[in-house]
Amino acid sequence: MLLEKNVGGPPVVLAVEGVRKKIGRKWIIDNVTFDVKEGEIFGFLGPNGAGKTTTIRMLVDLIRPTEGTITVCGYNVNKHPEQALQFVGSIVENPEVYTYLTGWENLQHFARMQPGVDKARIAEVVDIVRLDQRIHDKVSTYSLGMRQRLGIAQALLGRPRLLILDEPTNGLDPKGIKELREFVRKLAGEGMAVFVSSHLLSEIQLLCDRVAIISRGKVLAVGGVNDLVARNSPYVLWELEPHSQAEALLGMHHGISVLPPDEVTLDDAVTAGMGPNSIVTVMEETLIPEVVSLMVGAGVTVRAVHKINPTLEQLFLKLTEGETID
Amino acid sequence: MINLLPLIRNECLKIIKKKRFYVILLILVVLVPMFTYAQMRISERSRDKFNSDWRLEIQQQITDNQNSLSSDRIPEEWKTYRRIFVQQLQYYLDHNVNPNEPSGVTFTREFLDNSVNLFIPLLIMAVASDLVSGERTTGTIKMLLTRPVRRWKVLLSKLVALLMFVSLIVLSVVIISYLISGLVFGYKGFNVPVFTGFQISGDTVDMSTVHAVPQWKYLLMQGGLIWFVSVVVALLAFMVSVLVRSTAASIVVMMAALIAGTILSNMASAWTTAKYLFMVNLGLTGYLAGTPAPIEGMTLTFSMAVLAVWGLISIIISFAVFTKRDILN
């Protein structure tokens, strides 16, 4: 497992240390450790059923860990929930609010449950999520996107230092997703730590600074999104003719390794566009022009060259050894 | 930290906005006129039959019951019940007091006697059964428990709100049945004497402790006992709603227990340990009226003690489970 050291830098808002959870006889969560720092957008990535939601529920004291500690701003969440949770705003799974109350009444309801939230603050968060037009309507008349925004308003009420969003893009249209992304960046820019879980790799890659990858209750890797991606050399796909001669030439070239087809850990969406005889190589992209002229010089026809940018998807498949993401 | 008052306000607001209390009032406003009408027909019939002479009517009731005592086809328990009934009627007759003096107050008194076992507990359940399970069904429990408030405070605020609504429901039952039946029977009758204090041993009634109380005082005593029963039923329903995730399941569990109680009351006189079950002890007002208890050995103090123990255990279980449990979904 990859763990980076926290040397100086911004203060840690959320610290999760060696957390394990046993339900029945099964360890649902097996050793989860990571830190989230101030002003950082932290991604929590894993397929469905990997333990993301269980972990999030432990972060907000809905579930007690069997072992390990969770600390928010120095307070143990399970021992001092009253202190720790006042720094946390969260949406666990769907933004579930009272549908028989209006948006405003919902916010008032949650405002009464935390110190220092007055009417002006409620109006402020309504403004932030731009619900002011409909805030006095019953929530049962809201669209999913509006409920999502009300959920975020509710999470922001207490001016949290840590915002936890569980699969926040679920049910949002592309425009809503884009807005959400900008919104989360803005919050992080103001110093809030944001914890976002997702099963969508692209989402995390677009949004987050750092990421923890979880599968089957275990954190497989923690690190900067770019660092993790950089650990993977880029793939270059070649469509060359004649095939065997080209393969031999590539294999002989310094700095290029040809992957046998069964070792290729590429997403199907990428490989679908490949001809049946493509050769998958791992190489630096700076070598491409040199190799192309070499091929041409040797009389090999170059039909296509695809450079595939390294993605978390690749990394994920590598880490989980092919467990499907759905 | 957060104190309890705003939390209780939240819970009351939710009960009101969910329109549960309105539904209860609606049920009362629809059903009480039906009972009033039925009662009106009964008194009309007896008026025709006995020329408005209540003494004749009571005498007839006594004779009817005495005649049935000689029949072999009637089980022994029923005979005991009737012997006691005859002695009480005779007592009213001897003291020249009409036990069924038609008035809004008398109707209310009888209505309370009849509704304490099942009807009022059902109304209580309408509020109590989804107090916690409702939040779990809709998932709002996650929002509620991720605020910086201790879980026991959340649960306590719900409990306090529940007790307030229980009191309100009992009060509404009394007021609505008085107001509606008064339209037909008149609003007088607060000072009519009612006899209480019948000591039943076997099939004889000890009259030495019997005394008359004005009907308003009797109604007050009834109200107190019904409130006590309602609180215990509310605590039990509350516990079930903590234990069970769905509101439907929570209602079914409580309904089954209550209905089992009425069935057991009618047949369990031989099974004496059944008297420790809460559901056969709900008829507290019967002790005031001098109705024989369903099972030998039950007294007002005994029943109240049994109910109190059940209520207390419910509170302990509710809090123990709610504060410890993982909210998995």
Side-chain angles (χ1 to χ4, degrees):
Chain A
M1 195 167 66
L2 181 83
L3 274 174
E4 77 276 62
K5 298 272 183 295
N6 181 28
V7 195
V12 171
V13 176
L14 168 70
V16 177
E17 266 183 76
V19 164
R20 305 177 79 201
K21 176 68 186 177
K22 195 179 192 176
I23 293 179
R25 284 186 183 174
K26 205 173 159 232
W27 288 98
I28 301 287
I29 298 296
D30 198 354
N31 202 3
V32 169
T33 301
F34 59 83
D35 289 337
V36 181
K37 298 179 195 83
E38 200 175 274
E40 163 177 83
I41 305 174
F42 189 88
F44 198 50
L45 177 65
N48 292 338
K52 293 194 301 287
T53 297
T54 309
T55 307
I56 287 181
R57 279 167 190 264
M58 288 197 281
L59 299 185
V60 290
D61 196 38
L62 288 174
I63 298 179
R64 236 153 279 242
T66 314
E67 284 171 25
T69 56
I70 298 164
T71 322
V72 176
C73 298
Y75 292 102
N76 185 311
V77 168
N78 305 108
K79 292 201 179 100
H80 307 285
E82 246 175 351
Q83 285 84 358
L85 289 177
Q86 65 185 2
F87 300 111
V88 184
S90 62
I91 302 179
V92 180
E93 281 180 317
N94 307 312
E96 265 122 356
V97 286
Y98 300 100
T99 50
Y100 50 85
L101 301 179
T102 67
W104 184 268
E105 284 167 338
N106 264 293
L107 293 178
Q108 272 186 320
H109 174 277
F110 292 112
R112 287 192 198 104
M113 299 189 76
Q114 46 207 319
V117 183
D118 54 9
K119 212 176 152 187
R121 176 61 186 168
I122 300 179
E124 198 181 330
V125 291
V126 168
D127 228 38
I128 293 175
V129 298
R130 282 175 291 139
L131 264 181
D132 40 322
Q133 296 287 319
R134 297 284 307 277
I135 195 67
H136 291 292
D137 294 352
K138 279 241 167 75
V139 173
S140 50
T141 66
Y142 283 18
S143 68
L144 190 60
M146 290 167 74
R147 286 185 200 199
Q148 192 88 28
R149 298 216 296 261
L150 183 62
I152 291 176
Q154 169 276 133
L156 293 177
L157 269 181
R159 302 177 183 86
R161 294 183 59 193
L162 171 66
L163 181 66
I164 296 175
L165 303 173
D166 191 2
E167 303 271 359
T169 54
N170 266 5
L172 293 186
D173 54 17
K175 185 167 161 271
I177 293 177
K178 200 159 175 258
E179 279 177 5
L180 180 88
R181 218 179 278 145
E182 280 162 15
F183 181 66
V184 167
R185 283 219 189 83
K186 187 171 145 260
L187 291 175
E190 290 161 6
M192 196 182 287
V194 186
F195 179 95
V196 182
S197 84
S198 182
H199 66 282
L200 294 171
L201 307 157
S202 52
E203 195 51 60
I204 297 282
Q205 205 172 1
L206 280 169
L207 183 63
C208 300
D209 307 318
R210 285 198 312 137
V211 62
I213 296 176
I214 184 172
S215 175
R216 298 181 187 187
K218 285 196 176 88
V219 167
L220 302 174
V222 183
V225 172
N226 296 331
D227 294 347
L228 283 178
V229 171
R231 289 205 303 160
N232 271 14
S233 310
Y235 283 109
V236 178
L237 309 190
W238 299 89
E239 281 180 45
L240 303 166
E241 228 163 85
H243 184 264
S244 51
Q245 190 197 347
E247 194 165 15
L249 276 171
L250 282 170
M252 276 162 19
H253 199 282
H254 183 70
I256 299 179
S257 54
V258 178
L259 291 180
D262 57 327
E263 273 182 33
V264 178
T265 53
L266 276 178
D267 188 45
D268 286 346
V270 177
T271 51
M274 285 166 55
N277 282 327
S278 345
I279 303 160
V280 182
T281 60
V282 178
M283 58 186 280
E284 289 302 321
E285 69 176 280
T286 47
L287 285 176
I288 291 175
E290 186 191 326
V291 175
V292 169
S293 52
L294 180 89
M295 289 296 165
V296 172
V300 173
T301 316
V302 180
R303 291 196 179 278
V305 185
H306 304 281
K307 190 190 90 182
I308 296 175
N309 286 328
T311 59
L312 272 173
E313 196 123 30
Q314 254 169 280
L315 172 71
F316 192 87
L317 289 170
K318 211 167 167 185
L319 289 166
T320 59
E321 281 155 3
E323 188 186 325
T324 52
I325 305 161
D326 46 20
Chain B
M1 292 289 115
I2 295 290
N3 66 40
L4 269 174
L5 273 174
L7 300 180
I8 295 170
R9 198 171 150 199
N10 273 348
E11 296 306 326
C12 290
L13 193 84
K14 282 188 271 183
I15 293 175
I16 291 169
K17 290 278 174 174
K18 239 194 270 178
K19 307 215 164 68
R20 281 298 140 83
F21 188 58
Y22 294 127
V23 169
I24 288 169
L25 291 184
L26 198 69
I27 290 173
L28 285 171
V29 170
V30 170
L31 287 184
V32 171
M34 284 168 60
F35 298 135
T36 309
Y37 181 72
Q39 181 65 47
M40 195 178 80
R41 295 301 296 265
I42 293 172
S43 35
E44 264 174 11
R45 190 183 293 173
S46 63
R47 209 185 309 145
D48 295 345
K49 208 168 159 189
F50 302 105
N51 291 321
S52 310
D53 187 349
W54 66 266
R55 298 185 59 90
L56 271 181
E57 188 187 341
I58 299 290
Q59 194 56 57
Q60 186 62 45
Q61 270 186 359
I62 292 175
T63 327
D64 285 350
N65 277 290
Q66 270 167 343
N67 289 346
S68 71
L69 287 178
S70 52
S71 166
D72 296 335
R73 285 170 300 176
I74 291 179
E76 198 48 43
E77 289 109 49
W78 292 24
K79 284 187 181 172
T80 313
Y81 187 90
R82 284 179 189 189
R83 272 186 214 111
I84 293 164
F85 189 49
V86 165
Q87 291 174 69
Q88 287 167 341
L89 286 176
Q90 192 63 51
Y91 190 86
Y92 273 94
L93 207 54
D94 294 346
H95 290 76
N96 202 19
V97 170
N98 182 0
N100 306 315
E101 176 86 44
S103 74
V105 185
T106 310
F107 174 86
T108 308
R109 188 192 68 183
E110 278 171 6
F111 180 61
L112 289 181
D113 270 338
N114 289 319
S115 53
V116 66
N117 273 308
L118 202 56
F119 185 62
I120 292 177
L122 278 179
L123 296 182
I124 302 292
M125 277 168 51
V127 172
S129 281
D130 86 331
L131 224 46
V132 179
S133 60
E135 301 255 11
R136 300 193 71 196
T137 309
T138 58
T140 44
I141 187 109
K142 289 178 294 188
M143 297 293 195
L144 207 57
L145 296 185
T146 53
R147 303 294 89 217
V149 179
R150 289 254 173 202
R151 285 192 187 186
W152 67 262
K153 278 191 184 172
V154 173
L155 196 66
L156 186 60
S157 67
K158 280 187 177 293
L159 190 60
V160 172
L162 174 62
L163 294 183
M164 282 162 61
F165 274 90
V166 164
S167 314
L168 216 54
I169 289 168
V170 172
L171 205 65
S172 317
V173 171
V174 175
I175 290 173
I176 288 176
S177 66
Y178 172 67
L179 288 181
I180 292 179
S181 65
L183 284 174
V184 177
F185 302 115
Y187 293 106
K188 292 197 181 106
F190 279 107
N191 290 314
V192 172
V194 182
F195 292 114
T196 184
F198 299 97
Q199 301 267 356
I200 297 158
S201 47
D203 58 359
T204 57
V205 185
D206 178 4
M207 303 290 185
S208 60
T209 52
V210 174
H211 53 282
V213 292
Q215 197 156 233
W216 64 265
K217 202 172 174 185
Y218 189 90
L219 212 55
L220 226 55
M221 289 153 74
Q222 265 189 321
L225 291 179
I226 288 176
W227 181 80
F228 184 79
V229 171
S230 303
V231 165
V232 172
V233 170
L235 292 176
L236 283 157
F238 189 66
M239 174 186 72
V240 174
S241 104
V242 169
L243 296 178
V244 176
R245 199 187 324 143
S246 94
T247 304
S250 155
I251 289 177
V252 166
V253 169
M254 274 310 284
M255 286 261 272
L258 288 174
I259 292 170
T262 57
I263 297 172
L264 277 175
S265 301
N266 288 328
M267 57 186 245
S269 54
W271 173 33
T272 51
T273 35
K275 68 185 175 188
Y276 296 105
L277 296 172
F278 79 91
M279 48 275 208
V280 300
N281 284 293
L282 297 178
L284 290 186
T285 56
Y287 296 110
L288 280 185
T291 320
I295 299 166
E296 188 76 55
M298 286 167 62
T299 63
L300 179 59
T301 346
F302 173 84
S303 286
M304 287 185 79
V306 168
L307 289 179
V309 169
W310 278 84
L312 213 64
I313 291 173
S314 307
I315 293 181
I316 294 169
I317 293 177
S318 304
F319 276 87
V321 171
F322 190 77
T323 51
K324 295 260 156 56
R325 180 159 57 191
D326 289 339
I327 309 294
L328 292 167
N329 49 9

